[in-house]
Amino acid sequence: MLFAENVYKTRQGKVAEAWKSLLGPQDLVLVHSGEAVQKPGGLDQTYDFLPHPSYFWLTGHRRDEGVMAYSLSEGWIEHQRPLSPVDIVWEGAEGNFECESTLMDLQKKLQGGAYKRVFHLGQTSEKTFEAETRELSIKLDQVRRCKDSHEVQLIRQIADDGEQRLSGTAKCPATGNHRA
């Protein structure tokens, strides 16, 4: 994760507040991270995966096939497929990553009929074109675009690093010598 866990909880709270007037007690919003795209003829190879920006902003996780679910009654719950040894070895996934719920748990909930309406946001093949889905997406984007202090600090650090490199005053982390 790029930031501490409490930063993501604060972000989730801001989005929940923005969505409060748009959702009913039996509504569920799913923010999808997306799926890795397989390379043609690559057998088990995929292109480098980048999650949907909204999913990454809410979770800090870069894994494919993730779903961040929100309902008024349950709040935010992240659903992921369990990490396999292959994920850890070949993808560099963190072995200590524990998710609150699996994708199978989410599937059972959806099949159980607990929700009247389900809205799909993010990178997904589930296309919904209701006005409510668009409004939820707009609200999420409005909250996400207001940079918090952690994002501003990171942007400033990146700008400072770039300025030092351009001016030739950047130091090599390994040797401590100035770079040319």
Side-chain angles (χ1 to χ4, degrees):
M1 270 195 228
L2 197 55
F3 302 112
E5 184 70 30
N6 67 321
V7 172
Y8 299 102
K9 294 291 183 195
T10 300
R11 290 174 177 181
Q12 293 164 15
K14 288 179 181 179
V15 174
E17 185 63 32
W19 283 351
K20 194 167 46 175
S21 64
L22 301 173
L23 297 174
Q26 291 184 307
D27 291 342
L28 180 69
V29 181
L30 302 176
V31 182
H32 299 263
S33 70
E35 296 179 12
V37 177
Q38 188 164 352
K39 291 182 178 181
L43 299 175
D44 63 347
Q45 297 176 355
T46 60
Y47 291 104
D48 290 340
F49 176 74
L50 288 175
H52 189 276
S54 296
Y55 177 85
F56 181 67
W57 185 81
L58 286 166
T59 67
H61 297 140
R62 293 190 180 272
R63 290 189 59 213
D64 60 327
E65 300 181 40
V67 179
M68 192 64 166
Y70 177 76
S71 68
L72 292 175
S73 59
E74 294 180 313
W76 290 99
I77 300 174
E78 186 176 7
H79 302 273
Q80 279 279 356
R81 61 179 166 73
L83 275 178
S84 70
V86 172
D87 292 325
I88 296 167
V89 171
W90 292 106
E91 301 299 327
E94 297 178 19
N96 62 354
F97 178 79
E98 290 293 326
C99 197
E100 300 169 51
S101 185
T102 67
L103 291 173
M104 293 298 283
D105 296 333
L106 177 59
Q107 188 78 20
K108 288 176 189 172
K109 274 186 183 180
L110 292 173
Q111 290 172 345
Y115 302 103
K116 196 182 228 181
R117 299 186 305 172
V118 178
F119 302 101
H120 297 271
L121 305 178
Q123 197 170 316
T124 177
S125 59
E126 297 286 335
K127 297 296 179 200
T128 53
F129 299 101
E130 297 98 8
E132 294 92 347
T133 302
R134 181 80 179 124
E135 188 65 26
L136 290 164
S137 182
I138 289 169
K139 291 283 187 192
L140 172 57
D141 286 343
Q142 287 172 342
V143 172
R144 190 171 64 83
R145 291 209 168 97
C146 294
K147 302 303 175 204
D148 56 40
S149 63
H150 300 91
E151 288 174 292
V152 171
Q153 182 181 356
L154 179 63
I155 292 166
R156 285 186 176 142
Q157 181 62 50
I158 291 168
D160 289 346
D161 290 351
E163 182 180 9
Q164 288 177 2
R165 289 178 188 199
L166 288 173
S167 69
T169 60
K171 291 186 178 183
C172 175
T175 65
N177 296 331
H178 286 281
R179 295 181 180 173

